[in-house]
Every structure is written in C-alpha cells, then in structure tokens.
Amino acid sequence: VPTTDWLPLVVTGLLSGGAGSAVAAIVTARAASRRAKLDERAQPAQIESTFLGGAEKAVQALALALDRAQAEINDLKRERDEERLKSREKDRRIQELETLMSDMRKELDRLSGKMEQARTLVDEVKAESAENPPG
Amino acid sequence: MRRRHRVRQLVLEHPFELFVGVLCFASGLPVLVGAVRPGTIIAALPPALQLGWGVSLTGGAALVLAGLLSRTFNPFWFRGGLGLERSGMLLLTTSMAVYAVVLPYYSSLQQSGVTFALLVALSLACTARAFAIKQVLRKLEDPRVKGAGSADD
C-alpha cells in the first residue's frame, strides 16, 4: 500500500497535539488540586467568619423572603378589594337596571290601559255612527 | 461490601468511559510491546509513529482508568481523578483520529466505511467527554461552588 508523503506529517501533528493537550490537562489538574489543598488548609482560620457570614446571609435571605411574602399578601388583598369594589359597582348597576325595568313596566301598563280606553272609545263612536248614519 | 458498591456505582455511572478504557488498554498493550500491530498502522506509518500511536492508545486508556478508579475509591482526589481522565480522553481522541485518518489508505472507504464511522464517533465522544470534564472542573473552580463559604463572597 503506498504511503502518501503528508500522512506521517498529519499523524505526527495529531499525536503531538494530543500529547500536548493531555500534558496541559494534567498540569492544570495538578495546579487546581494544589490550590484546593491550600484552600482547605486555610479553611480553619476562616471558619468562624464563614460561619457567621453564612448565618448572616441566611437571616438576610429569610428577611427577603418575608418581605416578598408580605408584598404578595398586600397585592392579593388589594386585588380582592378591587374585585369587591367592582362587584359592588355591578350590584348597583343591576339594581338600577331593575328599577328602570320596573318603571318601564309600570309605564307600559299605564299606556296599555289608555290604549284600551281609546279602543273602547273608537268602538263606541263606530257603533254610534252606524246607528245614526250621517245625512 | 463497600468496595463492591463503589465498583457497581462506577460501572453504572460511567459505562462508556470504563468500557473504552478497558478495551483500548487491552488492545493497546500488545501494540506497545510490539507483539501485534494492526495492518493498517503497519502499512501506513513508520515504526516510530506506530510506537507513538501505541503509546497514545495505551497511555490514554491507562489515564482514563486511573482517573476513574482513583476518584471512585478516593473521593478526596476527585479533581485529580477528573484531570487524569480528561488527559486520557484527549489521548484517546488522538489515537482514534489517527486510526480514522490512516484507515482509508489501507482499504477503500467503501470497505471500511463502518469502522471509519465508528472511529470518528468514538473520537468525537472522547472529545465531548473531555470537554464535559473541563466544564465540571471549571465549575468546581467557581468561587460560588468552591466556597460555599469564603467570607468574601
């Protein structure tokens, strides 16, 4: 099988690139591990302030959560009041419309009565004119 | 019992890495000592590069296995184990890529298409794993994670 000229070059490049990145990865990991160890050693000195800082943060977080809960409660109350107000407004409007309808019904009854009277009057006039034709 | 539990956990959590590590180590060791070498590699590469390929394959697999086992049995060496695994994955990526590049010169792509695709896929998977480990290591370096409590933050 003929070997191309560039194939060994490509393979060399790949292998050296891979080896380089692998060594870099090991060195980075080693450095990170060493830093972590140093941090762990430094920890006892910081532990008290860390503890207090953590407690303080927890209290702050709790206070914030309480504030948020209170704000949410206020929002809900305001919404409920608004809804109540709207509901009252609707009740009032319904009441008004019902009163209006009742008045209109009364007016209709009154007008119906008058129309009945007028019809009766017309019938009487017709009957009278039939009995006594003009001329 | 505890050790068995850890081995079980390792197999269940990292089957791909473990399998590839064992397979590459088992197939790379004979290459390294010169007992067996794939015809493709012999035909396409000079002896020095054949050896380099063997070192990359076996060394990568050894690093992956060392990383996996060390962080499984010694949780305090978590970062170190991840670093070893990452470097091993990078070497395995190289080995797979070299094999994939060399393969078409030994047999046509029609004949070796499946093997070629598998090698490319394995190479990509190793790269992806190396990248994922890098992300984990970066997260571990993040002061918000690392310091669950330094007083400064």
Side-chain angles (χ1 to χ4, degrees), chain A residues 46-57:
Chain A
Q46 291 176 347
I47 202 149
E48 195 181 349
S49 57
T50 302
F51 198 69
L52 287 175
E56 200 176 314
K57 272 181 194 167

Side-chain angles (χ1 to χ4, degrees), chain A residues 1 3 6 14 35 39 50 57, chain B residues 44 94 105 141 146 149 153:
Chain A
V1 177
T3 309
W6 54 267
L14 275 172
R35 214 177 308 138
D39 284 353
T50 302
K57 272 181 194 167
Chain B
T94 310
Y105 288 91
E141 280 301 303
K146 190 166 133 191
D153 54 22

Side-chain angles (χ1 to χ4, degrees), chain B residues 17-118:
Chain B
E17 294 89 334
L18 198 63
F19 175 72
V20 168
V22 170
L23 186 75
C24 290
F25 190 77
S27 53
L29 209 56
V31 174
L32 199 62
V33 297
V36 183
R37 274 180 193 167
T40 322
I41 298 289
I42 293 173
L45 298 177
L49 286 180
Q50 291 173 23
L51 188 68
W53 181 76
V55 169
S56 173
L57 186 68
T58 319
L63 283 170
V64 167
L65 290 175
L68 282 173
L69 293 172
S70 64
R71 70 189 160 92
T72 302
F73 290 106
N74 183 6
F76 294 104
W77 217 62
F78 188 71
R79 282 167 214 235
L82 278 177
L84 282 182
E85 192 189 333
R86 181 168 172 252
S87 61
M89 281 294 169
L90 288 170
L91 281 177
L92 286 185
T93 299
T94 310
S95 313
M96 304 293 170
V98 166
Y99 206 174
V101 167
V102 162
L103 197 63
Y105 288 91
Y106 188 72
S107 56
S108 70
L109 261 182
Q110 282 171 334
Q111 288 173 329
S112 58
V114 176
T115 320
F116 178 78
L118 276 174

